[in-house]
Amino acid sequence: MTEQEIAERVKKIMVEEFELKEEILVPTASLYDELGLDSLDSVDLVVALEREFSFKVVRNLDEEKIRAIRQLKDIHEFIMEKQKAMQGEPK
Amino acid sequence: MKYDTVVIGSGITGLTAALVLAQRGQRVAIVEKNRFAAPLLRRFRRGGVWCDPGFHYSGGFEPGGALSVIFRYLRMGDSIRPVPMNADGFDILRMGDMEVSIPVGLDRVEDALRAAFPQSEKAVRGYIEKVNAIMSLTPFLSFDLDYRDFSNNQHMIDESLDSFLDGLGAEKNLKELLGQYGQFLYGVPGNEVPFYIHALIMGSFYRSSQTLANGGDELVDAFLHRLDQEGVVMFCGSPVAGIEVDNNRTITGVKLGNGEMLECGSCISTIHPGLLVDLLPGGAVRPAFLSRLRGLENTEAAFATYLEVDDVPARLNDANFYRMRHPEALTHNSILAIMMAGSMSHGSRKKGLCVLKESPNSPISKELYGTSRRASEYVEYKEMETANTVERLLECYPEMRGKIRVADSATPHTYERYTGTPGGSMYGVKHSVNQIKLNSMTSIRGFYLAGQSILMPGIMGGAVSGVVTAANIIGLETVWNEVKQWRQ
Ligand SMILES: Cc1cc2nc3c(=O)[nH]c(=O)nc-3n(C[C@H](O)[C@H](O)[C@H](O)COP(=O)(O)OP(=O)(O)OC[C@H]3O[C@@H](n4cnc5c(N)ncnc54)[C@H](O)[C@@H]3O)c2cc1C
């Protein structure tokens, strides 16, 4: 999946699952200040991403990375990384 | 009249939470959809024996144990009198030709496992050591801790039981045995259960497993008496049909199926969280939260068969017997658990036994069960499963042939009907490395989640969840310091 495709699907989640307006969903939008998500939302977001992109977050492995997510584009990067890791895994 | 807190559901979690709050002066109401409280705890009588739906034995009843301290703190210590099980083997586990008896005490469990798995001696030691370590870091399993330790979750690592045991070099059958044993007691297979959940639940059973002479009734009666003393109002017979939330996403009340409104300042829901999808008003939470609730994966259900017996095989008087799946066997691919006879026979002249069988997939659809419970397919299914259970019991105890009569059985559908828990799932939501834990706090101010699906399954998990959630409302530090005083 290209970054563009990922961005589109993340945007769709933000609109449908978090009821955010499409026009504010720019890559540099800050999740907490500008998009108004809180810490409870961020867990629901992780679950929604897991489902959409068919990966599992591993707490000890991913916790730091998730905590470092600030802007929409950080999510895209995180997913790209997860997907890369998954491709490396034996089927 | 406005309540400080309304508790939804009168299982062990709801009863506990309500009493903690009422003891601290809150005006509390409990809403239960059934006409009576605690459907999983309340016994019923069939054919002259007492049948326990959802409580047979538990850890934590020993002096200083989680349940005993909580019940003393709730001033019910005198009405609950645990009965010890066989200290040399309260659970007898059979897998293939191997039989292992689990004795009381972690040191002795270590010895028993080492004797059964001499090649995995080191793994067994490492396993017991880690179980001990995790318990000592967990409030309620250790009362030495400070209230600040509640937020320490360093030991709650997301490693599955299987992968932890692999790391210790445990042999396959040891892994299999511990995995299945645990699975029956918390509903999650070894490759999915986070090791710390396994450690907390199994460690409590290892420390001391006990039962109650009057089964779950002993708990319900003690609670109802104390709740009445503290002025808690019980609404039974009408379900919560809606949760009322204002424009600031703050809870204002709950609406009952009969139209009655109960206003409240806060609310604790102890029902299966998936059921909230139909109870939360539009706009109160984000669609993402609802999607998450809809997608929750549950533990499997059990099929319970209650028997009247002429004679109880001696060892089943004070021990449970587990017939595990054999890793290589093609048949008998569900765990069978024969629960000790003790409480079923107590106070009645006849002797009883309860046999539980893992029952992952009932062929009966919800619609079929819902429309006409006596539909012939359902009756047929129930009879077949009952007969199969009895056959498997007789394989384990052939001497019982001709000496047992079926008193009743409860299918996963029966459990679902009474508790609302989807599929009649035995322990609610799966605590799995593949599923992120739900938080007790929600984005609705004053609305909390509690119970087996949130913290931990079982009577002990529910009671602890009830105390912790009530403490979140009235102050963790105060409640914990009070609870701790009852440890001696
Ligand atoms: C067959 C079986 C055997 C078990 N054996 C043991 C055992 O030996 N030891 C042990 O520790 N644990 C055992 N368990 C597990 C234990 O029973 C549960 O983990 C525990 O009772 C759960 O308590 P709870 O309060 O979280 O949930 P519940 O007891 O399910 O409480 C939820 C309550 O909410 C009510 N409710 C649902 N919807 C609504 C609504 N809309 N409005 C109002 N009320 C509603 C339900 O009727 C129910 O009373 C067993 C479970 C099963 C199924």
Side-chain angles (χ1 to χ4, degrees):
Chain A
M1 219 180 293
T2 65
E3 181 158 8
Q4 186 59 35
E5 281 165 336
I6 291 175
E8 279 311 311
R9 287 164 76 165
V10 170
K11 193 182 265 182
K12 189 159 165 272
I13 290 177
M14 289 299 183
V15 172
E16 287 173 6
E17 301 281 322
F18 290 88
E19 300 168 310
L20 296 169
K21 295 223 167 55
E22 203 167 339
E23 49 281 18
I24 60 173
L25 297 173
V26 294
T28 54
S30 124
L31 296 180
Y32 302 103
D33 300 334
E34 290 165 63
L35 303 185
L37 301 191
D38 61 24
S39 62
L40 290 171
D41 291 326
S42 66
V43 183
D44 295 341
L45 175 60
V46 170
V47 175
L49 294 173
E50 280 186 337
R51 202 157 294 153
E52 178 71 28
F53 296 98
S54 323
F55 60 70
K56 285 285 167 203
V57 158
V58 184
R59 213 180 63 172
N60 342 9
L61 222 78
D62 296 321
E63 201 171 8
E64 287 298 304
K65 291 181 205 153
I66 289 177
R67 206 172 294 149
I69 291 178
R70 289 279 170 275
Q71 303 178 343
L72 214 46
K73 66 173 167 40
D74 301 337
I75 298 182
H76 307 158
E77 267 161 39
F78 175 71
I79 294 167
M80 302 259 280
E81 228 178 88
K82 274 306 255 189
Q83 291 199 327
K84 231 182 264 156
M86 270 201 317
Q87 276 157 12
E89 267 173 29
K91 288 269 151 68
Chain B
M1 167 143 122
K2 184 170 171 177
Y3 295 95
D4 294 312
T5 302
V6 168
V7 175
I8 309 178
S10 69
I12 184 75
T13 312
L15 296 173
T16 307
L19 189 48
V20 171
L21 294 171
Q23 247 183 213
R24 298 225 88 238
Q26 279 211 358
R27 198 201 302 253
V28 181
I30 302 178
V31 184
E32 167 58 49
K33 76 180 176 75
N34 286 284
R35 257 176 269 116
F36 56 94
L40 273 180
L41 300 180
R42 195 43 110 187
R43 300 201 289 180
F44 55 95
R45 204 172 162 85
R46 286 289 185 284
V49 290
W50 288 109
C51 308
D52 270 296
F55 169 72
H56 301 277
Y57 69 130
S58 175
F61 279 124
E62 74 281 8
L67 283 177
S68 120
V69 174
I70 290 173
F71 293 151
R72 277 161 48 88
Y73 160 66
L74 296 174
R75 320 298 194 265
M76 325 192 309
D78 292 339
S79 2
I80 293 173
R81 289 173 305 265
V83 182
M85 296 171 65
N86 191 334
D88 298 326
F90 60 85
D91 279 338
I92 305 162
L93 316 180
R94 189 187 293 170
M95 191 173 75
D97 299 330
M98 158 183 272
E99 198 170 281
V100 184
S101 288
I102 305 295
V104 172
L106 276 100
D107 295 349
R108 295 188 64 205
V109 174
E110 182 175 335
D111 293 342
L113 290 175
R114 278 162 73 162
F117 300 97
Q119 287 169 26
S120 298
E121 222 172 84
K122 253 181 65 194
V124 168
R125 194 173 334 118
Y127 165 73
I128 293 289
E129 236 166 53
K130 190 73 177 177
V131 169
N132 256 321
I134 288 178
M135 292 176 90
S136 70
L137 290 171
T138 306
F140 290 93
L141 295 175
S142 160
F143 285 98
D144 293 332
L145 300 169
D146 186 74
Y147 80 96
R148 291 181 205 90
D149 293 318
F150 279 76
S151 49
N152 168 16
N153 58 10
Q154 288 309 307
H155 56 291
M156 289 164 63
I157 33 170
D158 264 359
E159 181 175 17
S160 71
L161 170 67
D162 279 2
S163 116
F164 175 77
L165 291 174
D166 280 342
L168 293 176
E171 67 199 83
K172 181 158 168 281
N173 280 350
L174 171 61
K175 225 169 78 179
E176 194 66 44
L177 189 80
L178 291 175
Q180 291 193 40
Y181 184 23
Q183 181 173 5
F184 208 87
L185 291 168
Y186 46 68
V188 191
N191 62 352
E192 276 188 56
V193 64
F195 183 74
Y196 79 90
I197 290 278
H198 173 90
L200 296 178
I201 294 176
M202 301 316 290
S204 310
F205 279 102
Y206 297 160
R207 267 189 190 166
S208 147
S209 278
Q210 304 198 43
T211 183
L212 296 170
N214 292 320
D217 275 357
E218 201 162 315
L219 295 170
V220 187
D221 291 340
F223 267 109
L224 294 186
H225 177 69
R226 280 290 297 136
L227 290 165
D228 187 52
Q229 279 183 340
E230 296 291 345
V232 174
V233 187
M234 288 276 279
F235 293 85
C236 285
S238 187
V240 167
I243 288 154
E244 307 281 317
V245 178
D246 71 11
N247 293 336
N248 295 319
R249 287 195 178 188
T250 302
I251 184 102
T252 58
V254 305
K255 201 157 106 205
L256 307 193
N258 61 13
E260 200 167 342
M261 256 294 287
L262 307 180
E263 280 179 66
C264 62
S266 51
C267 173
I268 300 177
S269 168
T270 73
I271 65 180
H272 187 282
L275 301 172
L276 292 171
V277 170
D278 295 327
L279 304 183
L280 292 168
V285 294
R286 305 222 198 235
F289 184 63
L290 297 177
S291 303
R292 189 173 169 201
L293 294 181
R294 271 190 216 103
L296 289 170
E297 219 186 295
N298 294 314
T299 56
E300 281 168 5
F303 188 100
T305 303
Y306 301 95
L307 303 166
E308 224 188 281
V309 299
D310 294 341
D311 265 317
V312 176
R315 59 185 192 167
L316 292 181
N317 275 314
D318 53 5
N320 306 313
F321 180 88
Y322 286 82
R323 185 77 174 95
M324 302 303 182
R325 295 185 293 260
H326 194 278
E328 269 97 47
L330 297 170
T331 51
H332 298 339
N333 48 5
S334 56
I335 304 171
L336 192 79
I338 309 170
M339 298 284 114
M340 85 242 112
S343 100
M344 260 183 96
S345 316
H346 189 86
S348 68
R349 268 177 297 134
K350 300 196 172 153
K351 297 182 183 112
L353 267 190
C354 171
V355 187
L356 301 172
K357 190 160 83 83
E358 272 185 311
S359 188
N361 26 29
S362 149
I364 307 299
S365 71
K366 202 169 171 176
E367 289 67 34
L368 178 69
Y369 180 77
T371 47
S372 151
R373 288 200 301 110
R374 280 171 227 293
S376 59
E377 290 99 316
Y378 178 70
V379 173
E380 221 171 85
Y381 153 75
K382 187 167 167 172
E383 278 170 4
M384 221 180 65
E385 284 291 287
T386 305
N388 173 281
T389 303
V390 169
E391 244 351 275
R392 290 200 49 200
L393 166 71
L394 291 174
E395 276 168 24
C396 302
Y397 291 94
E399 67 270 32
M400 296 183 83
R401 193 171 289 279
K403 296 180 182 162
I404 52 185
R405 285 162 302 280
V406 174
D408 203 356
S409 35
T411 72
H413 307 279
T414 320
Y415 281 104
E416 176 164 11
R417 180 159 62 99
Y418 279 106
T419 62
T421 304
S425 148
M426 205 170 170
Y427 299 108
V429 171
K430 249 187 193 175
H431 297 275
S432 158
V433 295
N434 297 326
Q435 182 157 266
I436 302 179
K437 233 174 155 45
L438 280 168
N439 204 306
S440 172
M441 288 249 289
T442 69
S443 53
I444 300 173
R445 252 181 300 271
F447 184 62
Y448 302 84
L449 310 182
Q452 59 177 2
S453 295
I454 309 301
L455 191 72
M456 242 176 25
I459 299 307
M460 200 180 87
V464 171
S465 173
V467 178
V468 173
T469 313
N472 281 336
I473 296 180
I474 51 188
L476 184 60
E477 186 177 359
T478 323
V479 172
W480 180 241
N481 288 336
E482 272 180 20
V483 171
K484 272 165 74 167
Q485 287 171 14
W486 294 87
R487 58 198 289 194
Q488 297 308 340

